[in-house]
Amino acid sequence: MIILLDIDGVLVTQPSWKKVDMDADGFMAFNKQSVGNLADIISVTNAAVVLTTTHRITFGLDKWDEIFKLRGINIPAITKLNETISLADMPDRATEIKEWVDKHSDENYVIIDDDPSINNLSDTIKDRWVATKPFTGIDKEVKQKALNILLNNR
């Protein structure tokens, strides 16, 4: 099982017009409710995480693993959506997700993201998308929908 995970609007829910709090590890503070709910999803499913966020280019995988662990999220395996290393080379999120799904069509996955470009994807992919509200992140409803997708493999 795999969670395709965004960060802004999912784990970081501070409005863009406010100063974002930084944690000691040098990355933005995560919403505590979102942290707990993501940790629950991973605990129940043992899902790996594929980072879809544009922030994925900021740090290597070891640093991302450390950031999640320091915040109470123990991920069995973490990777990045692709090998893109520059924002200038990054297509829109929907394109990147479609390319990933095309390469991993046999995987059981859920997309947790607030990016509206995902609406442009096929119903097959959109059915595996749980849209978050940017200032709420992973609430109980998002958690339950994600669990339903992963556990029912729909």
Side-chain angles (χ1 to χ4, degrees), residues 66-82:
E66 176 187 325
I67 288 170
F68 283 103
K69 279 189 174 126
L70 287 172
R71 294 158 194 237
I73 305 168
N74 294 309
I75 301 170
I78 188 166
T79 58
K80 297 179 181 185
L81 189 60
N82 55 36

Side-chain angles (χ1 to χ4, degrees), residues 27-87:
F27 195 71
M28 296 177 282
F30 288 176
N31 173 304
K32 290 187 186 335
Q33 171 187 258
S34 293
V35 165
N37 286 326
L38 179 60
D40 288 348
I41 294 167
I42 292 170
S43 174
V44 169
T45 63
N46 200 38
V49 166
V50 173
L51 293 173
T52 61
T53 177
T54 56
H55 294 294
R56 70 184 184 266
I57 65 173
T58 308
F59 303 116
L61 291 174
D62 288 343
K63 180 67 173 179
W64 279 115
D65 191 49
E66 176 187 325
I67 288 170
F68 283 103
K69 279 189 174 126
L70 287 172
R71 294 158 194 237
I73 305 168
N74 294 309
I75 301 170
I78 188 166
T79 58
K80 297 179 181 185
L81 189 60
N82 55 36
E83 298 303 316
T84 301
I85 57 171
S86 161
L87 284 175

Side-chain angles (χ1 to χ4, degrees), residues 78-144:
I78 188 166
T79 58
K80 297 179 181 185
L81 189 60
N82 55 36
E83 298 303 316
T84 301
I85 57 171
S86 161
L87 284 175
D89 296 332
M90 205 174 278
D92 67 86
R93 181 77 43 82
T95 300
E96 289 187 306
I97 288 173
K98 182 181 181 318
E99 288 171 356
W100 184 91
V101 169
D102 288 347
K103 290 179 186 172
H104 301 89
S105 59
D106 59 333
E107 297 284 354
N108 179 10
Y109 68 92
V110 64
I111 304 162
I112 303 178
D113 203 317
D114 68 327
D115 191 322
S117 74
I118 297 170
N119 277 309
N120 299 324
L121 294 172
S122 69
D123 288 343
T124 305
I125 297 173
K126 284 193 305 190
D127 286 348
R128 303 190 74 79
W129 174 38
V130 182
T132 59
K133 295 177 187 125
F135 307 126
T136 305
I138 304 174
D139 59 16
K140 287 182 182 178
E141 182 181 344
V142 168
K143 176 175 111 173
Q144 192 56 56

